[in-house]
Amino acid sequence: MSGDNRQKTLNALVDRYPGMLELDAREGYEGYIISRERLIEFAQAIKDELGYDYLSSVTGVDYLPDEKIEVVYHAFRSDGGPALVFKVQTPRADASVPSLVSVFPGADFQEREAWDLLGIRFEGHPNLKRILMWEGFHGHPLRKDWEEPYFMESGKPFKNRWPEGDAVRSEEINPFKKNVQYPPEFSPDGWIPEADEALYSGMVQLGAKDSGNGRTLETDQILVNLGPQHPSTHGVFRMIVSLDGEEIADLQPVLGYLHRNHEKIGERNTYIMNMPFTDRLDYLASMGNNFGYALAVEKLMGIQPPERAEYIRVMMAELTRIVSHLFSIGTLLNDLGAFFTPMLYALTERELILDIFEAVTGSRMMCNYFRFGGVARDLPEGILGKVSELVTERLPRKIDELDTYLTDNEIVRSRCIGIGVLPREQALAYSAAGPVLRASGVDYDVRRAEPYSIYDRFDFDVIVRHNGDIYDRYLVRLEEMRQSLRILQQVVRDIPEGEIQTGKSQYQVRVPPGESYGRVENPKGELGFYLVSDGKPNPWRYHIRSPSFINLTSFGEICKGHKIADVVGILGSIDIVLGEVDR
């Protein structure tokens, strides 16, 4: 559908819902505001009639002075194009909107997150319970009137720290040295923890065996916990598995063990203070994280980086993609039982790229290199030659070696082919992103679907496979490294001389009021930053659409029918980093 036809159909939708759907007329805002009563109908209409079949982001915003909460949705077409942004508003005192899980199953974890952190009830959600905080947690910490123990101020820099520098640890105010508080009505007498009961309550319960599993061997149903302390879980991540004999009947991820309320911190920081915090999300892809955040702030500020800075940004992002995919393939082989030999091959090449990062940014992992309107510093002398040598000679050869050793390996094929299958329609429905989405036959890459920076200048292919299993997710990442090399070769050939920053680098910026959504194709998929500015030095709302978190939405479904050993490989093929999952 062309852009003109799409707009005509949107206008027809506005006419269809008189008084129920209107343009968001606030200065600096975009999209449509729909009434709560017509939300599900509207979502179904844009999916069926306009082809917006990919719900990327769901987030809530607490507009405390106005006593309302807003839920913001970003929907895209899988054949590319800009977002359709639609919103629903609800009274803050009784925040409740219909769940869209029946239309877009990918809203599942995102709605649970909005309930957990903002207290928005999603009526009709099949499993509405906390997801990042523990089940007995009191309150909803992203609300603007929620304050942690020994709260100091709602915005940084704190007055006692700057400019005098008279800092004090809030825990030191408490004689027990613990930064905790309890609700006023709480008493430890008779208190019973509710966490495990709430977690297990959503698990599948098998019926009588005679209605059962089609086998003559009688089996028992048992619940098994994997993690949160387990080498197969890639960090502090827990899985509750319901087993029918040795076969998985149900699986639920349990998240939040690494949660530190990154977004609350981000709303108290100044805009530039958040740049190093983005490094800590997917900590294997810090400069990809920088990229997405910089784009969101630059949209609000209305600035564009210089040509040389754009080329440097793309160079860092594509080197980051190779770093992440090398690590992913190495850890996947660990998960499949190859122990450490493939991982060491992958880490050897990763270290050479980290040498480049260290020379350019001063750091190997937490690079904190991007700035609003450019990058922090220019490339050091001689580094372009080293990058050119790496991407034209050594890395192509080493990626070919990985291909030779692994792709036709009998054990790799038997453990991966046909395991953890995510069909195309399910991948779209569950809002999967990155290699997980493209391995299921969906030709969707943000660099092509809605090009940002200067990606529209480069010749590269979007890698798509069609079986949706562990093996295809591995193959997509392997081939994507080759495409990143193609882009990098064009970058080192064409990079111009010139400035690396638009205007003077600022350490305190006032961003014009409004909202923006900046997204990039990070190694693990679409990474998006939704920002709301009220014109002050700190963001009013700072939300992260993290691909590691949302890619787990389908995890339980694609594990059903497999064995425990397969779960480890399936999780490895999704390729999560817990810093990004839990934030």
Side-chain angles (χ1 to χ4, degrees):
M1 183 184 291
S2 70
D4 289 342
N5 289 335
R6 199 175 304 167
Q7 190 58 50
K8 288 178 183 177
T9 311
L10 277 171
N11 293 339
L13 282 175
V14 174
D15 294 337
R16 185 191 301 179
Y17 304 114
M20 297 288 184
L21 179 68
E22 60 184 20
L23 281 168
D24 190 342
R26 292 172 292 182
E27 185 177 356
Y29 285 72
E30 62 176 330
Y32 299 83
I33 298 176
I34 183 76
S35 70
R36 286 187 290 174
E37 294 75 19
R38 308 303 285 272
L39 176 64
I40 295 177
E41 182 184 350
F42 177 77
Q44 194 71 60
I46 64 168
K47 181 180 180 182
D48 296 342
E49 299 176 29
L50 291 178
Y52 285 93
D53 52 356
Y54 186 71
L55 182 65
S56 171
S57 176
V58 181
T59 187
V61 185
D62 181 7
Y63 288 102
L64 175 60
D66 301 328
E67 289 300 326
K68 70 180 179 184
I69 281 183
E70 187 171 87
V71 183
V72 184
Y73 305 85
H74 289 80
F76 295 89
R77 291 169 54 98
S78 57
D79 59 358
L84 171 58
V85 183
F86 59 101
K87 305 157 186 177
V88 61
Q89 296 179 344
T90 177
R92 195 172 180 275
D94 182 26
S96 172
V97 300
S99 170
L100 289 189
V101 171
S102 61
V103 182
F104 295 106
D108 182 354
F109 282 17
Q110 299 186 73
E111 288 183 353
R112 285 179 59 190
E113 179 186 6
W115 154 247
D116 190 359
L117 301 183
L118 282 156
I120 306 167
R121 290 194 317 278
F122 290 89
E123 303 296 341
H125 190 287
N127 190 24
L128 191 64
K129 58 188 179 185
R130 290 190 182 270
I131 191 167
L132 295 176
M133 311 305 296
W134 60 287
E135 286 296 326
F137 187 82
H138 178 67
H140 303 282
L142 274 183
R143 288 212 171 191
K144 288 298 183 179
D145 54 358
W146 186 90
E147 296 174 357
E148 73 277 15
Y150 308 104
F151 168 80
M152 300 182 75
E153 295 178 54
S154 59
K156 294 180 181 178
F158 295 152
K159 292 182 176 61
N160 71 331
R161 300 188 183 184
W162 183 88
E164 290 81 6
D166 182 21
V168 60
R169 286 173 56 87
S170 58
E171 290 87 345
E172 295 300 320
I173 304 170
N174 183 347
F176 299 105
K177 303 294 188 291
K178 290 184 178 180
N179 194 4
V180 295
Q181 68 184 9
Y182 303 99
E185 69 278 7
F186 175 81
S187 169
D189 298 331
W191 176 71
I192 300 173
E194 57 183 293
D196 281 356
E197 288 78 359
L199 289 172
Y200 296 146
S201 65
M203 299 297 291
V204 165
Q205 299 296 320
L206 299 180
K209 288 298 171 187
D210 56 8
S211 65
N213 53 22
R215 298 190 295 265
T216 56
L217 179 66
E218 183 173 327
T219 59
D220 292 327
Q221 181 189 16
I222 59 172
L223 291 178
V224 176
N225 279 279
L226 277 74
Q229 304 292 346
H230 194 282
S232 72
T233 58
H234 294 234
V236 281
F237 175 71
R238 176 181 171 193
M239 297 172 273
I240 303 176
V241 185
S242 174
L243 290 174
D244 177 14
E246 294 184 355
E247 191 173 286
I248 293 169
D250 194 13
L251 182 148
Q252 284 199 24
V254 184
L255 317 177
Y257 291 96
L258 199 60
H259 178 67
R260 64 247 193 240
N261 218 335
H262 178 112
E263 294 179 10
K264 188 79 167 183
I265 296 170
E267 290 169 12
R268 290 185 179 167
N269 285 342
T270 63
Y271 284 91
I272 195 63
M273 280 181 182
N274 280 332
M275 189 62 78
F277 274 80
T278 68
D279 294 352
R280 275 77 177 169
L281 294 167
D282 177 356
Y283 37 75
L284 301 177
S286 68
M287 285 193 278
N289 307 338
N290 290 177
F291 208 160
Y293 179 58
L295 287 177
V297 177
E298 287 163 0
K299 282 184 180 180
L300 283 167
M301 296 177 69
I303 60 174
Q304 186 76 28
E307 282 283 294
R308 182 172 177 83
E310 294 278 31
Y311 275 88
I312 293 173
R313 285 179 168 195
V314 170
M315 178 192 300
M316 295 300 119
E318 295 308 313
L319 286 171
T320 295
R321 195 177 317 279
I322 296 172
V323 161
S324 179
H325 285 352
L326 283 170
F327 207 92
S328 172
I329 290 171
T331 52
L332 174 63
L333 267 293
N334 267 15
D335 294 334
L336 296 177
F339 196 52
F340 230 72
T341 301
M343 188 70 189
L344 287 174
Y345 271 81
L347 287 177
T348 299
E349 307 314 312
R350 174 177 177 263
E351 285 297 305
L352 297 176
I353 298 176
L354 297 192
D355 289 343
I356 302 292
F357 289 171
E358 186 174 21
V360 174
T361 73
S363 179
R364 299 180 74 79
M365 283 186 66
M366 310 301 177
C367 295
N368 181 25
Y369 179 57
F370 287 38
R371 296 292 182 270
F372 310 138
V375 292
R377 60 189 65 84
D378 207 342
L379 301 176
E381 186 177 349
I383 205 69
L384 266 180
K386 292 184 181 298
V387 173
S388 178
E389 180 182 354
L390 195 61
V391 303
T392 57
E393 297 179 21
R394 179 170 178 119
L395 283 177
R397 188 172 69 250
K398 292 299 180 179
I399 291 170
D400 287 345
E401 286 181 9
L402 277 176
D403 193 354
T404 301
Y405 295 148
L406 301 178
T407 302
D408 290 323
N409 181 284
E410 180 182 355
I411 297 174
V412 170
R413 292 176 65 88
S414 65
R415 290 293 310 279
C416 296
I417 293 177
I419 306 298
V421 174
L422 181 63
R424 183 185 192 280
E425 294 308 316
Q426 264 193 319
L428 276 172
Y430 279 109
S431 303
V436 176
L437 181 65
R438 291 188 287 276
S440 295
V442 182
D443 184 359
Y444 192 85
D445 183 310
V446 180
R447 296 172 296 175
R448 281 276 189 257
E450 191 184 12
Y452 55 93
S453 186
I454 54 172
Y455 273 105
D456 54 353
R457 303 183 190 180
F458 298 111
D459 180 27
F460 68 98
D461 298 325
V462 175
I463 304 304
V464 180
R465 304 282 295 187
H466 298 277
N467 298 307
D469 54 12
I470 297 177
Y471 194 64
D472 276 9
R473 293 193 275 272
Y474 152 74
L475 289 174
V476 166
R477 292 188 178 96
L478 186 73
E479 188 57 38
E480 281 189 358
M481 289 193 290
R482 293 189 171 114
Q483 298 305 315
S484 290
L485 291 177
R486 284 178 65 187
I487 295 172
L488 287 162
Q489 289 161 11
Q490 295 168 69
V491 168
V492 296
R493 181 193 69 198
D494 298 337
I495 185 170
E497 296 296 328
E499 298 295 322
I500 50 104
Q501 177 74 45
T502 295
K504 184 180 178 182
S505 183
Q506 300 179 56
Y507 290 91
Q508 177 71 291
V509 296
R510 285 188 180 270
V511 175
E515 65 174 353
S516 72
Y517 183 64
R519 63 179 190 145
V520 295
E521 185 64 42
N522 238 28
K524 293 169 178 60
E526 178 186 329
L527 172 70
F529 288 86
Y530 176 72
L531 298 176
V532 174
S533 168
D534 59 357
K536 295 181 180 178
N538 313 80
W540 180 261
R541 183 71 174 101
Y542 166 83
H543 171 70
I544 299 137
R545 186 261 188 229
S546 62
S548 292
F549 176 71
I550 297 173
N551 280 344
L552 285 171
T553 310
S554 64
F555 180 46
E557 189 64 32
I558 63 178
C559 286
K560 290 178 181 177
H562 292 299
K563 305 290 194 294
I564 287 285
D566 295 323
V567 168
V568 177
I570 294 169
L571 181 63
S573 74
I574 292 175
D575 186 24
I576 62 170
V577 162
L578 264 298
E580 185 177 80
V581 172
D582 287 350
R583 286 153 288 144

